[in-house]
Amino acid sequence: MQLAIAIALAASHASALDVGASMRATMHKLHTALQPATPLQEDVIDLGDGAQGTVVSFEATDRDCAWCAATSIIDGTSTSWELEAWNGPSVEAPHFYASLEDDGENIEVEVDFRPRLDAGYDLAVEATDAREYPAPTSRAGFSQKALRVDYDELFFSAEARAWRATKLVDAESVTPRWATLVVEGRRQYGDDDAGSVGGPLALRARYPRDAVEAAVAACDEAADRYINWMTNPAEASWMRTRLIFARDSQVRQAVAAKRVSILGERYGATGRELAKAMNGRLDMQGHNMMQEQVAFGDDADDGR
């Protein structure tokens, strides 16, 4: 039954079908690896003019995964898929995001592992060989430097960075869309802003059509990396759990609001409904202040 629901993510044309099957398999792998989990839930939304959005989702709170969703949008000759997993605040493992878009000419992939706290990552610095950040001149700067050291040891190692580099060998590097999204609200360390969503492994790559297997592999391998971290996740301390909870609320709010804006502009009210299904429940998103911004109601289950 669960696999049958996942098949709803299939694309309607042959060239996209192989990609869709691979993305469905990746979602099924996430669901299997994060057991015990809720059964896969399917939401199918008619976006008008022949376009259709499908969201397949689950929760695995006993495995510290608060929400995981796979989304497909089929619109004429273009098809897109997104995979997103949000973790609970008691573990250090980054959130997971992967997307793949097929416009009939190119395959575009975006992958990110979103850090749980604002470590002050700068993608421009990360793109250099030396990756030398300015010497800290404030308590905030020292705190963020310490976080980067911790995260490099736990998640963003030399091996992980080398993996990222291989994904760009035969592809055109493009500026990530989601990783550069700046978080609004209270600043974690008193800097000019609350930091951006993405981490140092964030990438967006445009592959030619004949490299579709490499594009699909980037998403699948990223999911494997996430599963490995979540198999025996590093636990957060009591103090970090509180900080992570607050930061998660800000990050999920920023992503949810941006997604509602993008899909609402593209498809109107039905696009906003699709965004709500993708974003999941608002338990960790500062529910009361989210209602007007991202069009959710008072029901705790709203947004699924």
Side-chain angles (χ1 to χ4, degrees):
M1 178 64 180
Q2 294 170 352
L3 184 58
I5 293 176
I7 291 175
L9 291 173
S12 60
H13 51 87
S15 62
L17 183 60
D18 292 340
V19 178
S22 297
M23 296 298 279
R24 292 195 311 275
T26 299
M27 175 58 169
H28 188 66
K29 177 166 59 177
L30 286 166
H31 186 245
T32 300
L34 295 174
Q35 292 294 321
T38 60
L40 292 171
Q41 174 177 315
E42 177 190 14
D43 294 285
V44 180
I45 297 174
D46 183 353
L47 299 172
D49 296 326
Q52 178 177 287
T54 302
V55 180
V56 175
S57 59
F58 69 89
E59 298 176 8
T61 54
D62 287 345
R63 295 295 306 277
D64 296 299
C65 179
W67 179 253
C68 185
T71 304
S72 69
I73 299 177
I74 302 173
D75 187 354
T77 59
S78 67
T79 308
S80 64
W81 297 266
E82 288 187 68
L83 297 172
E84 192 168 51
W86 297 99
N87 297 337
S90 61
V91 296
E92 297 271 10
H95 305 300
F96 169 59
Y97 176 81
S99 69
L100 190 151
E101 295 185 18
D102 178 2
D103 64 6
E105 297 182 1
N106 298 289
I107 304 288
E108 194 164 282
V109 169
E110 184 161 355
V111 169
D112 192 15
F113 301 100
R114 296 162 172 167
R116 309 305 297 280
L117 295 175
D118 177 15
Y121 284 112
D122 184 331
L123 294 185
V125 174
E126 292 292 332
T128 65
D129 292 335
R131 300 201 326 269
E132 291 187 7
Y133 284 80
T137 58
S138 64
R139 292 181 63 185
F142 279 104
S143 296
Q144 291 176 320
K145 179 180 179 179
L147 275 176
R148 291 194 296 271
V149 171
D150 286 349
Y151 287 159
D152 280 0
E153 180 178 349
L154 288 170
F155 311 112
F156 308 135
S157 62
E159 179 276 329
R161 293 170 187 274
W163 169 83
R164 177 191 181 278
T166 64
K167 302 300 110 179
L168 297 171
V169 171
D170 297 317
E172 175 189 357
S173 180
V174 185
T175 301
R177 291 168 295 185
W178 289 102
T180 55
L181 179 65
V182 175
V183 177
E184 302 293 338
R186 185 174 60 184
R187 299 182 297 275
Q188 186 176 323
Y189 292 115
D191 288 340
D192 293 335
D193 56 52
S196 58
V197 168
L201 300 187
L203 68 88
R204 184 179 171 200
R206 184 173 295 133
Y207 291 84
R209 290 287 302 162
D210 59 4
V212 62
E213 291 184 0
V216 169
C219 295
D220 192 56
E221 291 170 16
D224 286 339
R225 191 170 293 273
Y226 169 76
I227 289 171
N228 183 57
W229 290 335
M230 293 297 287
T231 298
N232 186 23
E235 295 186 2
S237 66
W238 175 82
M239 179 57 71
R240 276 209 182 173
T241 294
R242 296 187 63 182
L243 292 172
I244 288 171
F245 182 91
R247 174 70 176 174
D248 281 354
S249 298
Q250 291 179 306
V251 172
R252 290 193 67 176
Q253 177 182 355
V255 171
K258 182 67 173 179
R259 180 171 285 140
V260 168
S261 175
I262 291 173
L263 293 179
E265 182 177 348
R266 187 179 304 170
Y267 299 110
T270 55
R272 290 190 289 274
E273 286 298 314
L274 178 63
K276 288 167 63 176
M278 296 170 69
N279 289 334
R281 297 194 304 164
L282 302 184
D283 303 52
M284 293 177 60
Q285 297 182 38
H287 190 100
N288 292 335
M289 65 182 176
M290 287 281 290
Q291 294 172 17
E292 182 175 350
Q293 285 182 280
V294 295
F296 290 101
D298 295 324
D299 187 346
D301 289 329
D302 197 9
R304 288 201 59 181

